[in-house]
Amino acid sequence: MFKNGLSYFASAVFVLVAHSAMLLNIFVNGNYSDVNSVVTLSAVVIGLDLAYFTAMLFFKQMTYSIDFLLILILNMSVIFQSSFGGVELNKKHLITCITALVACRGGYLLCRNHRFIQNKKKYIFLAIGALVIAIVTLTGSRSMWINLGPVSVQPSEFIKPLLVLGCATSVMEQQRKHKLLCFNVVYENIALFFIIALICGLQWWCRDLGSLPTFVGIYICGLFFRLCYPKAKFSKKAVIVGVAVLGALAIVAVKYAPSYVQDRLFVDIWSDKTGNGYQQSKALIAIAEGGWLGKGPGFGELHNVFAYDNDIVFATISEEWGLIYAIMTVIAILVILTVPLINPPRSYYHASLSACICSAFTVQMALNIFGSCNMIPFTGVTIPFISTGGSSMVTSGFMIGMLSATQSPIFKKTKNKKKSSSGRRAHN
């Protein structure tokens, strides 16, 4: 799609025009007392665009679609986060966005060769175990955060790409069955079941069940690719039984959920606007007041509400920039996830990898938006790339790099070290 210079140039111009239009909106309609704040923000955003466009020329790829969409979304995020309640460059968020771009390159380089990453499965499982141990032993008071002075790290975020890598599979892997009792099984499938059970137990122990659907979404998507690979002999009855079991587990989970979860599941936000319904009621009011075009960058009131820049950021954008901008932002993220459908991955492994990543982002984004709009219980998860949060931003950038790798994979043939008998005779 972006093999020639003209297409690359045209895509760069599109991104620059989109960001320039947003910056012009701030200059005309924004809430600022010093124009230098707008100039600084504009210089940083345009400068980061140009620097990234230049850096990408050093990476030879089959397509740059995802990379252009990533810089588009990240700098949109910088503009949004720098204008909530007043225009001033959000330096911390800018740094996390740059870190996400670097992490994207890391995910891209790591996952291009599927054979390399497949051979490291045991280390991936060990890394997940190490992170679980770190969360249990280092966070303290059943928390998900490790405080390192002025910086807080959420290790559970780093489990997401590892779980994706663990769930990704090839057809060859699924054909390596072993006899266990009366069943032919793949050992990795059993290991993944225990891993997701461990993660579910960890989320319950840390009282952070809001992130659990994201992990379960990754696992179910990966399980589907593992059991329904081409020409797999899989019983429809087994699928029905599996769905029934999941449904039963969901019912049991709701019935025996902790009290704080029960409160969020059945709360009436309008009758409890100062309690469990506080954020959602404020978010809905802000969306309604913002309308289609918004109050103007910096003129909103939602920035006075806790977690306005992460948990309910969709509502904050809607209030100040309008529902049109908020929907456009969501569409831009969804376009990234549809790229693998436009340019199909070159291997079954990369296909399962991209599907698990898309599942994670879709579930996470849906939880945030629908929760803010009171369509589902409030979970407190972030929107990828838009919400603040260093751990989430780095992880999302790394996973987008993995997604980009599925579009430009490399395949290295295994060299046959054995010489033919004729070759040995000739040598002798």
Side-chain angles (χ1 to χ4, degrees):
M1 186 176 180
F2 298 112
K3 288 185 178 180
N4 56 72
L6 180 62
S7 297
Y8 192 97
F9 177 77
S11 302
V13 169
F14 171 79
V15 173
L16 287 171
V17 169
H19 291 154
S20 298
M22 294 180 67
L23 294 167
L24 180 62
N25 185 24
I26 291 179
F27 180 76
V28 175
N29 302 314
N31 179 21
Y32 56 90
S33 56
D34 186 0
V35 72
N36 288 331
S37 59
V38 181
V39 173
T40 300
L41 176 61
S42 303
V44 168
V45 169
I46 301 302
L48 183 57
D49 281 344
L50 296 175
Y52 192 68
F53 298 153
T54 303
M56 285 308 302
L57 293 174
F58 294 92
F59 293 89
K60 301 302 180 182
Q61 301 174 198
M62 296 180 184
T63 174
Y64 296 90
S65 310
I66 294 177
D67 300 284
F68 278 107
L69 289 168
L70 178 62
I71 190 64
L72 171 67
I73 293 172
L74 284 177
N75 264 342
M76 286 175 64
S77 176
V78 171
I79 295 172
F80 287 142
Q81 296 287 351
S82 298
S83 61
F84 292 151
V87 180
E88 184 179 359
L89 177 64
N90 190 328
K91 297 178 182 178
K92 184 177 180 180
H93 189 67
L94 173 65
I95 292 173
T96 59
C97 287
I98 294 175
T99 307
L101 291 174
V102 176
C104 175
R105 289 297 90 200
Y108 170 78
L109 295 174
L110 179 67
C111 299
R112 290 189 69 190
N113 185 354
H114 69 286
R115 290 179 179 172
F116 168 79
I117 204 69
Q118 281 179 282
N119 292 333
K120 307 298 181 182
K121 278 289 179 69
K122 60 180 180 180
Y123 299 108
I124 293 172
F125 295 157
L126 289 174
I128 293 175
L131 285 172
V132 170
I133 294 173
I135 293 171
V136 173
T137 58
L138 300 180
T139 55
S141 66
R142 297 178 65 179
S143 171
M144 297 294 287
W145 297 87
I146 296 177
N147 295 317
L148 303 173
V151 180
S152 297
V153 180
Q154 190 175 9
S156 61
E157 286 291 327
F158 304 127
I159 296 179
K160 292 177 183 177
L162 291 173
L163 182 60
V164 168
L165 290 172
C167 288
T169 188
S170 65
V171 176
M172 185 178 297
E173 277 187 345
Q174 296 310 303
Q175 292 176 339
R176 295 171 182 168
K177 298 182 183 294
H178 303 273
K179 196 75 173 180
L180 183 63
L181 299 178
C182 300
F183 303 96
N184 292 321
V185 299
V186 178
Y187 288 152
E188 283 189 3
N189 296 350
I190 298 176
L192 282 170
F193 173 79
F194 284 105
I195 287 174
I196 191 62
L198 177 64
I199 292 174
C200 290
L202 175 69
Q203 296 294 117
W204 176 85
W205 185 83
C206 294
R207 295 167 294 191
D208 186 25
L209 298 180
S211 301
L212 188 58
T214 303
F215 290 106
V216 174
I218 294 172
Y219 174 74
I220 291 177
C221 189
L223 184 64
F224 176 83
F225 270 81
R226 285 177 168 269
L227 299 181
C228 302
Y229 60 91
K231 297 182 180 180
K233 295 180 179 179
F234 196 72
S235 172
K236 293 181 180 179
K237 293 182 180 180
V239 175
I240 296 174
V241 171
V243 172
V245 170
L246 288 175
L249 290 175
I251 295 173
V252 171
V254 171
K255 184 175 181 179
Y256 295 100
S259 57
Y260 71 93
V261 176
Q262 296 280 359
D263 292 339
R264 289 187 177 183
L265 287 173
F266 304 108
V267 65
D268 181 359
I269 65 171
W270 301 114
S271 62
D272 191 18
K273 291 190 291 185
T274 59
N276 288 325
Y278 178 72
Q279 286 177 298
Q280 286 174 300
S281 60
K282 289 291 186 181
L284 287 176
I285 293 172
I287 293 172
E289 291 181 347
W292 289 107
L293 301 178
K295 296 180 177 179
F299 285 101
E301 297 294 332
L302 202 58
H303 68 278
N304 296 314
V305 177
F306 176 73
Y308 72 92
D309 55 350
N310 43 55
D311 293 355
I312 54 174
V313 70
F314 179 82
T316 312
I317 295 173
S318 298
E319 181 189 26
E320 297 195 0
W321 289 81
L323 192 59
I324 292 179
Y325 261 108
I327 293 175
M328 287 173 58
T329 303
V330 174
I331 291 175
I333 298 175
L334 290 176
V335 169
I336 287 187
L337 305 184
T338 59
V339 167
L341 302 179
I342 300 172
N343 303 312
R346 274 70 177 181
S347 72
Y348 193 80
Y349 178 86
H350 288 110
S352 61
L353 186 72
S354 61
C356 290
I357 294 171
C358 293
S359 173
F361 283 139
T362 302
V363 171
Q364 189 171 331
M365 187 164 54
L367 288 173
N368 182 288
I369 297 172
F370 294 156
S372 298
C373 298
N374 197 35
M375 299 174 68
I376 61 174
F378 190 66
T379 59
V381 299
T382 59
I383 296 181
F385 308 113
I386 303 300
S387 300
T388 57
S391 301
S392 175
M393 188 69 75
V394 171
T395 301
S396 298
F398 187 84
M399 291 172 69
I400 285 295
M402 294 162 60
L403 191 63
S404 182
T406 67
Q407 301 297 291
S408 299
I410 57 174
F411 300 97
K412 294 183 178 180
K413 295 182 178 179
T414 304
K415 295 181 179 180
N416 187 7
K417 296 181 180 180
K418 294 182 179 180
K419 297 182 180 180
S420 62
S421 58
S422 59
R424 287 196 298 268
R425 285 195 299 268
H427 179 72
N428 293 334

